[in-house]
Structures are given as structure tokens and as C-alpha cells.
Amino acid sequence: MKKIAIIFSHAPYGKTLGQEGLNLALSMSCYTENIGIFFIGDGVFQILKYQQPNFILSKSYFISFKIFIANNINNFYLCYDSLLQRGLYKNVDYVLKLNICSFIKIRKKIKKFDFILNF
């Protein structure tokens, strides 16, 4: 079975990329469990636990990331370098239990996947 990497590299609101990536990952999980989810760059904001999108008149979808666990997707990686660049390295809660890795380690992991999709 082919391995699929889904990369979230954009901020969660203002564009629909995050929601589209989430929907695609959930759809693909019906066909394969070989899915890796990566949060890099501004994508680290996707997984923050205490988001309040209602203040900018947006709908909340970040809680839906928990559905991955029910669909047997358990490979979640968060870029430590991206956290540092955005000041998110202390006392931050996330929606999921994540593997926090350096950017170099994440690049090595992504290279092991057959398909790479960026949102």
C-alpha cells in the first residue's frame, strides 16, 4: 500500500486549505492507514487547542483533527523549528498527541512517503 504524507503549512483561517486537507486526510483514511500528518511553518497554528475563530467570524474545525485517532491515523509530526520561530515553544496545548521533531528530521520522514500533499 502506498504511503501518503499530508503537510499542513498554512495558517488555519483566511483560506480553506486547512479544512480541505483535513477532509482529504479523513477521506483517504477509509482506504489506507499509511498516512503521516505533518505540521510545519504556519501550519503549526492548525493544531493549537485553544483557538477562537468566532472572533474573526470563522467556523471552528480544529477539533475535527481528533477524528484521525478513530480512523487509525496515528503518525503526527510537529516541527519544533516552526514552533520556535512563532514563539510557541512554552506552555502550549495541542488538540492531538504529536511527535515534535526538528525540521531536518521531518524532511527525512517525509522522504519515506510515496505521495506528498501540501495544504
Side-chain angles (χ1 to χ4, degrees), residues 8-104:
F8 291 90
S9 61
H10 293 87
Y13 305 105
K15 296 180 183 178
T16 61
L17 289 172
Q19 180 71 50
E20 291 171 8
L22 175 64
N23 292 341
L24 178 72
L26 292 173
S27 297
M28 294 175 103
S29 70
C30 295
Y31 302 103
T32 183
E33 293 178 8
N34 295 325
I35 298 174
I37 308 292
F38 298 86
F39 299 92
I40 61 172
D42 285 341
V44 298
F45 293 115
Q46 295 275 353
I47 204 71
L48 296 178
K49 192 171 190 174
Y50 299 108
Q51 298 179 32
Q52 297 177 323
N54 54 322
F55 287 125
I56 58 169
L57 304 176
S58 291
K59 291 186 178 181
S60 174
Y61 67 87
F62 68 94
I63 289 295
S64 299
F65 281 108
K66 288 185 176 185
I67 297 172
F68 285 143
I69 303 301
N71 290 1
N72 292 323
I73 300 174
N74 300 309
N75 301 316
F76 306 106
Y77 303 96
L78 185 63
C79 180
Y80 181 71
D81 300 323
S82 297
L83 291 174
L84 288 177
Q85 291 169 355
R86 286 151 185 84
L88 297 173
Y89 51 91
K90 292 183 183 178
N91 302 324
V92 179
D93 292 325
Y94 305 104
V95 175
L96 296 169
K97 188 171 184 174
L98 303 153
N99 297 306
I100 299 176
C101 308
S102 70
F103 183 72
I104 292 169

